[in-house]
Amino acid sequence: MSDQAQSAILLISCPDQKGLISSTTRFIWDRGGNIVNLEQHVDVQEDVFLMRLEWDVKGFNMGWSEFEKQFGGMAERFGMRWELRFSYPKPKLGIFVSKYSHCLFDILSRHQSGELPVDIPMVISNHPDLADVVSKFGIPYHHIPVNKSIKPESEAKQLQLLQEAEVDFLVLARYMQILSPGFTEQYQNRIINIHHSFLPAFPGAKPYHSAHSRGVKIIGATSHYVTADLDAGPIIEQDIVRVSHSDSVKDFVRKGRDLEKIVLARAIWYHVQNKILVYKNKTVIFK
Amino acid sequence: MSDQAQSAILLISCPDQKGLISSTTRFIWDRGGNIVNLEQHVDVQEDVFLMRLEWDVKGFNMGWSEFEKQFGGMAERFGMRWELRFSYPKPKLGIFVSKYSHCLFDILSRHQSGELPVDIPMVISNHPDLADVVSKFGIPYHHIPVNKSIKPESEAKQLQLLQEAEVDFLVLARYMQILSPGFTEQYQNRIINIHHSFLPAFPGAKPYHSAHSRGVKIIGATSHYVTADLDAGPIIEQDIVRVSHSDSVKDFVRKGRDLEKIVLARAIWYHVQNKILVYKNKTVIFK
Amino acid sequence: MSDQAQSAILLISCPDQKGLISSTTRFIWDRGGNIVNLEQHVDVQEDVFLMRLEWDVKGFNMGWSEFEKQFGGMAERFGMRWELRFSYPKPKLGIFVSKYSHCLFDILSRHQSGELPVDIPMVISNHPDLADVVSKFGIPYHHIPVNKSIKPESEAKQLQLLQEAEVDFLVLARYMQILSPGFTEQYQNRIINIHHSFLPAFPGAKPYHSAHSRGVKIIGATSHYVTADLDAGPIIEQDIVRVSHSDSVKDFVRKGRDLEKIVLARAIWYHVQNKILVYKNKTVIFK
Amino acid sequence: MSDQAQSAILLISCPDQKGLISSTTRFIWDRGGNIVNLEQHVDVQEDVFLMRLEWDVKGFNMGWSEFEKQFGGMAERFGMRWELRFSYPKPKLGIFVSKYSHCLFDILSRHQSGELPVDIPMVISNHPDLADVVSKFGIPYHHIPVNKSIKPESEAKQLQLLQEAEVDFLVLARYMQILSPGFTEQYQNRIINIHHSFLPAFPGAKPYHSAHSRGVKIIGATSHYVTADLDAGPIIEQDIVRVSHSDSVKDFVRKGRDLEKIVLARAIWYHVQNKILVYKNKTVIFK
């Protein structure tokens, strides 16, 4: 962990081949960059090389546009997809909610205590119910109703607000509307959803009811990036809790709330720390 | 736990109504039975009352045929489905295997160490491979090949062996054949299968491959009673283990093996202890 | 779960002996009480019988003072310790905090969303820091400084506030002061603490630092009733989370916060549901 | 995972400083080594750099004695402690047991099924009881009685057997004797023990009894390298299972057996895969 220091992060994926690690580390080192963290992985089934490289920007003797040009050349030779990120400044998070407050409260209290290093310029909801909660925290709350007939206009309003505030990524904190493909493609791998089941079991509506009806002994929650396919995007984190015959659907819901907020919070944490690399609809979570 | 003592066990389910607990406990008590364990549960969604009642047979002043007559009368008034079981003698377990040895070994070693209070009159397999393993433990091994064209004859042979040995229940310890409905209905709620996924996710063949392809962060195993519907019978026990991007399918299989044997062993334990009550394709596991 | 209905609850412990279940259930039934929940357990090591009995007060044809007289007589014959509790009205919870906000926030958000059926007449703290948080929720905040020289006066003030508000039970939500025996004995089995380790490992101060230094692979949290012995009271709930060499002490603290709030919330839930019976410095948690 | 290929592995620890990753990877690369796996970690509290580097020996153009000389020179400049290991041939494992069979059975069945890539030249026991089990697997069983008065002679016999067979590492599979410091120092970081508690809670004898008496809600097991200090060596792996008031000590023992064998098997796996680096009485487990 190098929370304090300012660092640059490279996320790389490419066909596996010889010399990837040494070429990349040498490139950084030769330009004065001290590597503080390197994690790589080879997906042998897919023959894909994946790496996260983090170095201290202090002493790095190259501007970022020059870096993009020079590193880009090498990346092209290796067939790399790559992204350059930075540990600073704080990213801007936009939160979407409907009526359930537990995930929202959890994020806001992590933010307020300083645990979660983001700025939160707004909360957007299709209902007015949680305006009071949000106002307690001094964050603007935008009530934008959504229904089938007005969905395009609603999404246009949402996008305008997000873009004006230069929001970096979105969290759907139990937001009960489906975003259109036109919306999601503008925030590819930047919209995190929490689904209240152990995906791929019980996608869609009312997973706790389905789980109860099936008589499972464990329930789960799944945080994932949102894609055009409902509940089918790259999974970031999952966790579970035991249930028994003595738990009603209501108990599933109660126990599940705690799962949901923890599993969502972990996904947000990984995202903010630039620890997630997406490839082939899966995630690598670097540690 | 009253492992040492000889006890009788009633497993009861019926529509919820007043007076069920007091009537039943009074019935046992009035006949000299000391109740050593009572657990009950009401499924409020289904309005079903479920109970397990265990009492010491020492001092119980009524024969079992007379009991069936008298208790049967009361049970009829309440609309009860009920079963009478005993903590003795040891039940007889028939094991079905194919080529994987880990669950088989695990059961046999529990049996040999005295941990698992059953008799094992036979192991049946559609392959000859594990004959050596089983012979180490001095248990008869029956190799009965199975394929589509001879399945009826194969099952007839299996059933004959099981019936001659008066086998009480079966365990499919990674048995890679599907039993016909005609077979399974003869051992209703008495065939325990282990499926190597967190059901209802990934039913059927190659669940570890499917899980890896989907990019899940947790894999599971499920033990359940076998019904005519593949992997859809009442779930007895489930457990999970974390995986990450760094685990290949091969790692999933390796980690999964440990899950499978533990989750199967727990199901066998509950079954042998008469702790399981099945209703509406779900199980109540009394503690 | 009979959340809606008004019910009475008996928590009983006594030497194990014959006839306990039938005598007790008959007693309730004969007075018009419909038993909606019964769970019992025998601690065979200690030869102690433990039971929780819940019945619908509707139709129960006996006043509570008469009940205490009549049931008290029977209880005496069996040598029972017993308590009568009710599912209504909501109990009053007093919260103690110092400077950490995560457990406090979590409790207040559960309260606000209606998940936690208690009244919270006050938060007491030895620091002023969290006054703002609490005021967001419209709950009185009492700043009562504590140090060695003024501890008796501080505790006297605390007790006066609690007694005036008729607080039923206390939660120490990371309260960093040790309560005196004179204080704790007034709320026996009614003060819930959260300790940030897997007790009995790492009692006392700085458990995350000790855990990190020892190189454990799992960290835990423990909620327990407070007794005169520090971190040695009856354990209510524990849970754990995996850590690895890549987690710093700071990461332990971050991961631990989530554990702490969940483990504390579960303990509060069990307490409020009258599910906890304490005997021999242990708890029975009825389900 | 590169199970098939033959690879060399460097395990390195040293004071953190600039240039460690690039110097090391360049060293391997310049000599024709293709790095297939690199994982590194910095312990910021201790300011220690730790790395595991694995490369394909095919194409590596340097003999191992020459490697030791050249790499040794560089290592000295950085103040590195380092070890060179190989993914081949299979290491030789010596197993120590007393009377409990569950861990022994589990290891032998993993070995027999081909899951565990080791040779097992012998099992040594202070009791004759498990000779039959071991003989089933065709492995030599040495019964060497141990008691206070003959301990030095017993250990001398054990060491002679181990050395003659060129055993690489030892597993104490519930071996109920304490090895002398003179013994353990000959197999530093090469003796794996399984302790049936969540260390550091409940070290020493009868941990399940102590855990039951304390009323914990979770029990654990810990595998660790053996040092001269009882149950205080570097922890390799831990896991837990939930218990409740309804579990007797006997149930703790039964549930714990499954934990013990899984937690021990994982430690053996990491050791055999050369994934463990020990420093400051802690382990880094590379993934």
Side-chain angles (χ1 to χ4, degrees):
Chain A
M1 284 293 145
S2 51
D3 302 304
Q4 324 308 349
Q6 295 204 332
S7 54
I9 295 128
L10 263 177
L11 294 171
I12 295 170
S13 63
C14 64
D16 193 24
Q17 57 206 286
K18 293 195 178 191
L20 288 164
I21 295 177
S22 20
S23 303
T24 320
T25 56
R26 182 181 294 202
F27 182 95
I28 302 302
W29 176 251
D30 286 349
R31 282 148 190 85
N34 185 39
I35 296 169
V36 293
N37 222 290
L38 181 158
E39 196 177 344
Q40 59 60 244
H41 167 63
V42 176
D43 182 329
V44 291
Q45 256 112 344
E46 307 280 0
D47 204 39
V48 176
F49 173 87
L50 305 135
M51 183 161 69
R52 183 184 188 277
L53 196 65
E54 182 174 1
W55 68 97
D56 198 337
V57 299
K58 204 171 57 187
F60 196 59
N61 55 28
M62 171 177 270
W64 297 118
S65 62
E66 182 61 20
F67 176 89
E68 302 225 349
K69 204 156 57 182
Q70 289 194 18
F71 188 79
M74 191 177 84
E76 203 169 345
R77 288 197 301 282
F78 283 116
M80 288 177 179
R81 292 180 49 210
W82 61 284
E83 282 183 82
L84 178 64
R85 299 192 185 161
F86 299 96
S87 70
Y88 57 95
K90 285 186 194 174
K92 294 201 176 91
L93 161 62
I95 305 177
F96 279 57
V97 295
S98 290
K99 292 184 168 183
Y100 295 119
S101 65
H102 55 287
C103 287
L104 174 65
F105 250 128
D106 192 64
I107 297 169
L108 296 182
S109 65
R110 289 172 199 270
H111 179 242
Q112 165 125 352
S113 70
E115 171 186 332
L116 183 62
V118 297
D119 287 326
I120 304 181
M122 74 186 66
V123 174
I124 291 176
S125 179
N126 56 330
H127 294 286
D129 306 53
L130 298 175
D132 274 4
V133 168
V134 173
S135 72
K136 285 193 211 308
F137 291 85
I139 293 172
Y141 185 87
H142 302 285
H143 172 211
I144 301 177
V146 180
N147 62 50
K148 217 170 174 179
S149 63
I150 60 166
K151 191 162 173 176
E153 294 86 336
S154 303
E155 290 198 344
K157 277 186 214 162
Q158 293 167 350
L159 284 169
Q160 194 184 353
L161 285 167
L162 296 170
Q163 283 153 7
E164 281 171 9
E166 299 185 317
V167 161
D168 294 298
F169 73 113
L170 310 181
V171 166
L172 312 185
R174 297 298 309 276
Y175 180 62
M176 310 301 270
Q177 293 288 325
I178 297 172
L179 298 172
S180 73
F183 189 110
T184 59
E185 73 193 10
Q186 299 197 40
Y187 289 90
Q188 206 193 357
N189 298 335
R190 293 191 293 148
I191 309 176
I192 299 173
N193 184 43
I194 178 73
H195 182 73
H196 42 313
S197 84
F198 187 87
L199 287 174
F202 311 123
K206 293 203 169 287
Y208 291 133
H209 288 77
S210 304
H212 194 266
S213 165
R214 178 63 186 92
V216 298
K217 300 300 184 188
I218 285 175
I219 56 172
T222 304
S223 52
H224 62 94
Y225 284 123
V226 175
T227 60
D229 290 335
L230 184 66
D231 297 333
I235 293 171
I236 303 170
E237 169 69 348
Q238 303 186 291
D239 212 339
I240 58 98
V241 69
R242 288 205 164 264
V243 292
S244 81
H245 64 269
S246 69
D247 290 306
S248 64
V249 170
K250 217 169 138 185
D251 294 317
F252 278 33
V253 171
R254 176 176 55 81
K255 291 184 167 187
R257 272 195 295 257
D258 283 352
L259 266 188
E260 293 163 29
K261 60 194 198 192
I262 298 296
V263 169
L264 178 56
R266 288 188 196 142
I268 297 173
W269 177 260
Y270 294 139
H271 183 92
V272 170
Q273 301 289 318
N274 296 302
K275 297 281 193 184
I276 311 180
L277 197 165
V278 177
Y279 78 109
K280 294 181 185 277
N281 205 44
K282 300 200 249 186
T283 63
V284 174
I285 309 293
F286 294 107
K287 287 296 147 63
Chain B
M1 283 293 143
S2 53
D3 304 302
Q4 324 308 349
Q6 296 203 334
S7 55
I9 295 128
L10 263 177
L11 293 171
I12 295 169
S13 64
C14 64
D16 193 24
Q17 56 205 288
K18 293 193 177 192
L20 287 164
I21 295 176
S22 20
S23 303
T24 319
T25 55
R26 182 182 293 203
F27 181 95
I28 302 302
W29 175 251
D30 286 350
R31 283 147 190 86
N34 184 40
I35 296 168
V36 293
N37 222 290
L38 181 157
E39 197 178 343
Q40 60 61 243
H41 167 63
V42 176
D43 181 329
V44 291
Q45 256 112 344
E46 306 281 1
D47 204 39
V48 176
F49 173 87
L50 304 136
M51 183 161 68
R52 183 184 187 278
L53 196 66
E54 181 175 0
W55 68 98
D56 198 336
V57 299
K58 204 173 59 188
F60 196 58
N61 55 29
M62 173 178 269
W64 297 117
S65 63
E66 183 59 20
F67 176 89
E68 302 223 350
K69 203 156 59 183
Q70 288 193 19
F71 188 80
M74 192 178 85
E76 204 171 345
R77 289 197 300 281
F78 283 116
M80 286 176 180
R81 290 179 52 209
W82 62 284
E83 284 183 80
L84 178 64
R85 298 192 186 164
F86 299 95
S87 70
Y88 58 94
K90 285 185 194 172
K92 293 200 175 90
L93 162 62
I95 303 176
F96 279 58
V97 294
S98 290
K99 290 185 168 183
Y100 294 120
S101 65
H102 55 288
C103 287
L104 174 65
F105 250 127
D106 192 63
I107 298 170
L108 295 181
S109 66
R110 289 172 198 271
H111 178 243
Q112 164 125 352
S113 71
E115 173 186 330
L116 184 61
V118 297
D119 287 327
I120 303 181
M122 74 186 65
V123 173
I124 291 176
S125 179
N126 56 330
H127 292 288
D129 306 51
L130 298 175
D132 273 4
V133 167
V134 173
S135 72
K136 286 194 213 307
F137 291 85
I139 292 172
Y141 185 88
H142 301 286
H143 172 213
I144 302 178
V146 180
N147 63 50
K148 217 170 175 181
S149 62
I150 61 166
K151 191 163 174 176
E153 294 86 335
S154 303
E155 289 198 343
K157 277 185 212 163
Q158 293 167 348
L159 284 169
Q160 193 183 353
L161 283 167
L162 296 170
Q163 283 154 6
E164 281 172 9
E166 297 185 318
V167 162
D168 293 297
F169 74 112
L170 310 181
V171 166
L172 311 186
R174 297 299 310 275
Y175 181 63
M176 310 300 271
Q177 293 288 324
I178 297 172
L179 299 172
S180 72
F183 188 110
T184 59
E185 74 193 9
Q186 298 198 41
Y187 288 90
Q188 206 194 357
N189 298 336
R190 293 191 292 147
I191 309 176
I192 300 172
N193 185 42
I194 178 71
H195 182 73
H196 42 312
S197 84
F198 187 86
L199 289 174
F202 311 122
K206 294 204 171 286
Y208 291 132
H209 288 76
S210 304
H212 193 266
S213 165
R214 178 64 186 91
V216 297
K217 299 301 184 187
I218 285 175
I219 55 171
T222 304
S223 51
H224 63 93
Y225 284 124
V226 175
T227 61
D229 290 336
L230 185 64
D231 297 332
I235 293 171
I236 303 170
E237 170 69 348
Q238 301 185 293
D239 212 339
I240 58 96
V241 69
R242 286 203 167 264
V243 290
S244 81
H245 64 269
S246 70
D247 290 307
S248 64
V249 170
K250 216 169 139 184
D251 294 316
F252 277 32
V253 170
R254 176 175 56 81
K255 290 184 166 187
R257 272 196 296 259
D258 282 354
L259 266 188
E260 294 164 28
K261 60 195 199 191
I262 299 296
V263 170
L264 178 55
R266 288 188 196 144
I268 297 172
W269 177 260
Y270 294 140
H271 183 92
V272 168
Q273 301 289 319
N274 296 300
K275 297 281 193 185
I276 311 178
L277 197 165
V278 176
Y279 79 109
K280 294 181 185 276
N281 205 44
K282 298 201 249 186
T283 63
V284 174
I285 309 292
F286 294 107
K287 288 296 148 65
Chain C
M1 283 294 145
S2 52
D3 303 301
Q4 324 306 349
Q6 295 203 332
S7 55
I9 294 128
L10 264 176
L11 293 171
I12 295 170
S13 63
C14 63
D16 193 25
Q17 57 204 289
K18 292 193 179 193
L20 287 164
I21 295 177
S22 21
S23 303
T24 320
T25 58
R26 183 182 292 202
F27 182 94
I28 302 300
W29 175 251
D30 286 350
R31 281 145 190 89
N34 184 39
I35 296 168
V36 293
N37 222 292
L38 181 157
E39 197 177 342
Q40 59 61 242
H41 167 63
V42 176
D43 181 330
V44 291
Q45 256 112 343
E46 306 281 0
D47 204 39
V48 176
F49 173 87
L50 305 136
M51 184 160 69
R52 183 184 187 277
L53 196 66
E54 180 174 2
W55 69 98
D56 198 337
V57 299
K58 203 172 60 189
F60 196 58
N61 56 29
M62 172 176 270
W64 298 117
S65 61
E66 182 61 20
F67 175 89
E68 302 225 349
K69 202 155 59 183
Q70 288 194 21
F71 187 80
M74 192 177 84
E76 204 170 345
R77 288 197 300 282
F78 283 115
M80 286 177 180
R81 293 180 48 210
W82 61 284
E83 283 182 82
L84 179 64
R85 299 191 184 164
F86 299 96
S87 69
Y88 58 96
K90 285 186 195 174
K92 294 201 176 88
L93 162 62
I95 305 177
F96 278 57
V97 294
S98 291
K99 291 185 168 183
Y100 294 120
S101 64
H102 55 288
C103 288
L104 174 65
F105 250 128
D106 191 64
I107 297 169
L108 295 182
S109 66
R110 289 172 198 272
H111 179 243
Q112 164 126 350
S113 71
E115 173 187 331
L116 185 60
V118 298
D119 287 326
I120 304 180
M122 75 186 65
V123 173
I124 291 175
S125 179
N126 56 329
H127 292 288
D129 306 52
L130 297 175
D132 273 4
V133 168
V134 173
S135 72
K136 285 192 211 308
F137 292 85
I139 293 172
Y141 185 88
H142 301 286
H143 173 212
I144 302 177
V146 180
N147 63 49
K148 217 170 174 182
S149 61
I150 61 167
K151 192 162 174 176
E153 294 85 336
S154 303
E155 290 198 344
K157 279 186 212 162
Q158 293 167 348
L159 283 169
Q160 192 184 352
L161 284 168
L162 296 170
Q163 282 154 8
E164 281 172 9
E166 299 184 318
V167 161
D168 293 298
F169 74 112
L170 310 181
V171 166
L172 311 186
R174 300 295 312 273
Y175 181 61
M176 311 302 271
Q177 292 288 326
I178 296 171
L179 299 171
S180 73
F183 188 110
T184 59
E185 75 194 8
Q186 299 198 41
Y187 288 91
Q188 205 193 358
N189 299 335
R190 292 191 294 146
I191 309 176
I192 300 174
N193 184 43
I194 179 72
H195 182 74
H196 43 313
S197 85
F198 187 87
L199 288 174
F202 311 121
K206 295 206 170 284
Y208 291 133
H209 288 76
S210 304
H212 193 267
S213 165
R214 179 63 185 90
V216 297
K217 299 301 183 185
I218 285 175
I219 55 171
T222 304
S223 52
H224 63 93
Y225 285 122
V226 174
T227 61
D229 290 336
L230 183 65
D231 297 332
I235 293 171
I236 302 170
E237 170 70 347
Q238 301 186 293
D239 212 339
I240 58 96
V241 70
R242 286 202 167 266
V243 290
S244 81
H245 63 270
S246 68
D247 290 306
S248 63
V249 170
K250 215 169 140 184
D251 295 316
F252 278 33
V253 170
R254 177 176 54 83
K255 291 183 165 187
R257 273 195 296 258
D258 283 353
L259 266 187
E260 293 163 29
K261 61 194 198 191
I262 299 295
V263 169
L264 178 56
R266 289 188 196 142
I268 297 173
W269 177 260
Y270 295 139
H271 183 92
V272 169
Q273 302 288 319
N274 296 300
K275 297 282 193 186
I276 311 179
L277 198 164
V278 176
Y279 78 109
K280 293 179 186 279
N281 205 43
K282 298 201 251 186
T283 63
V284 174
I285 310 293
F286 293 107
K287 287 296 149 65
Chain D
M1 282 296 146
S2 53
D3 303 302
Q4 322 308 348
Q6 296 203 333
S7 55
I9 295 128
L10 264 177
L11 294 171
I12 295 169
S13 63
C14 63
D16 193 24
Q17 56 204 287
K18 293 194 179 190
L20 288 164
I21 296 176
S22 21
S23 303
T24 321
T25 56
R26 183 182 292 202
F27 182 95
I28 303 301
W29 175 250
D30 285 350
R31 283 146 189 86
N34 185 41
I35 295 169
V36 294
N37 222 292
L38 180 157
E39 197 177 343
Q40 60 63 241
H41 167 63
V42 175
D43 181 330
V44 292
Q45 255 112 344
E46 306 280 1
D47 203 38
V48 176
F49 173 87
L50 305 137
M51 183 161 68
R52 182 185 187 277
L53 194 66
E54 180 175 0
W55 69 97
D56 198 337
V57 298
K58 203 172 60 188
F60 195 59
N61 56 28
M62 173 177 270
W64 298 118
S65 61
E66 182 60 20
F67 176 89
E68 302 224 350
K69 202 156 56 184
Q70 289 194 19
F71 188 80
M74 191 178 85
E76 204 169 344
R77 289 196 300 280
F78 283 116
M80 288 176 179
R81 291 180 50 210
W82 60 284
E83 284 183 81
L84 178 64
R85 297 192 188 164
F86 299 96
S87 70
Y88 58 95
K90 287 186 194 173
K92 294 201 176 90
L93 161 62
I95 305 177
F96 278 57
V97 295
S98 289
K99 291 183 168 184
Y100 294 120
S101 65
H102 54 288
C103 287
L104 174 65
F105 251 128
D106 192 64
I107 297 169
L108 295 182
S109 65
R110 289 173 198 270
H111 178 243
Q112 164 125 352
S113 71
E115 173 186 333
L116 184 61
V118 298
D119 287 325
I120 304 181
M122 75 185 65
V123 174
I124 291 175
S125 179
N126 56 330
H127 293 287
D129 305 53
L130 297 175
D132 273 3
V133 167
V134 173
S135 72
K136 285 192 212 312
F137 291 84
I139 292 172
Y141 186 88
H142 301 287
H143 172 213
I144 302 177
V146 180
N147 63 50
K148 217 169 173 182
S149 62
I150 61 167
K151 192 162 173 176
E153 294 86 335
S154 303
E155 291 198 343
K157 278 186 212 163
Q158 293 168 348
L159 284 170
Q160 191 183 354
L161 284 167
L162 296 170
Q163 283 154 6
E164 282 172 8
E166 298 184 318
V167 162
D168 293 298
F169 73 112
L170 310 181
V171 166
L172 311 186
R174 299 297 311 275
Y175 180 62
M176 311 301 271
Q177 294 287 326
I178 297 171
L179 298 172
S180 72
F183 188 111
T184 60
E185 74 193 11
Q186 299 199 38
Y187 288 91
Q188 204 193 358
N189 297 335
R190 292 191 294 146
I191 308 175
I192 300 173
N193 184 43
I194 179 72
H195 182 73
H196 42 312
S197 86
F198 187 86
L199 288 174
F202 311 123
K206 293 204 172 287
Y208 290 133
H209 288 77
S210 304
H212 193 267
S213 164
R214 180 62 186 92
V216 297
K217 299 301 183 186
I218 285 175
I219 55 172
T222 304
S223 51
H224 62 94
Y225 285 122
V226 175
T227 61
D229 289 336
L230 184 64
D231 297 332
I235 292 172
I236 303 170
E237 169 69 349
Q238 301 187 293
D239 212 340
I240 59 96
V241 69
R242 287 204 165 266
V243 291
S244 81
H245 64 269
S246 69
D247 290 306
S248 63
V249 170
K250 216 168 139 184
D251 294 316
F252 277 33
V253 171
R254 177 175 55 81
K255 291 183 166 188
R257 272 195 296 258
D258 282 354
L259 266 188
E260 293 162 29
K261 60 194 199 192
I262 299 297
V263 170
L264 178 56
R266 289 188 196 142
I268 297 173
W269 178 260
Y270 295 139
H271 183 93
V272 169
Q273 302 289 319
N274 296 301
K275 297 282 193 185
I276 312 179
L277 198 165
V278 177
Y279 78 111
K280 292 179 187 278
N281 205 43
K282 299 201 250 187
T283 64
V284 173
I285 309 292
F286 294 106
K287 285 296 148 62

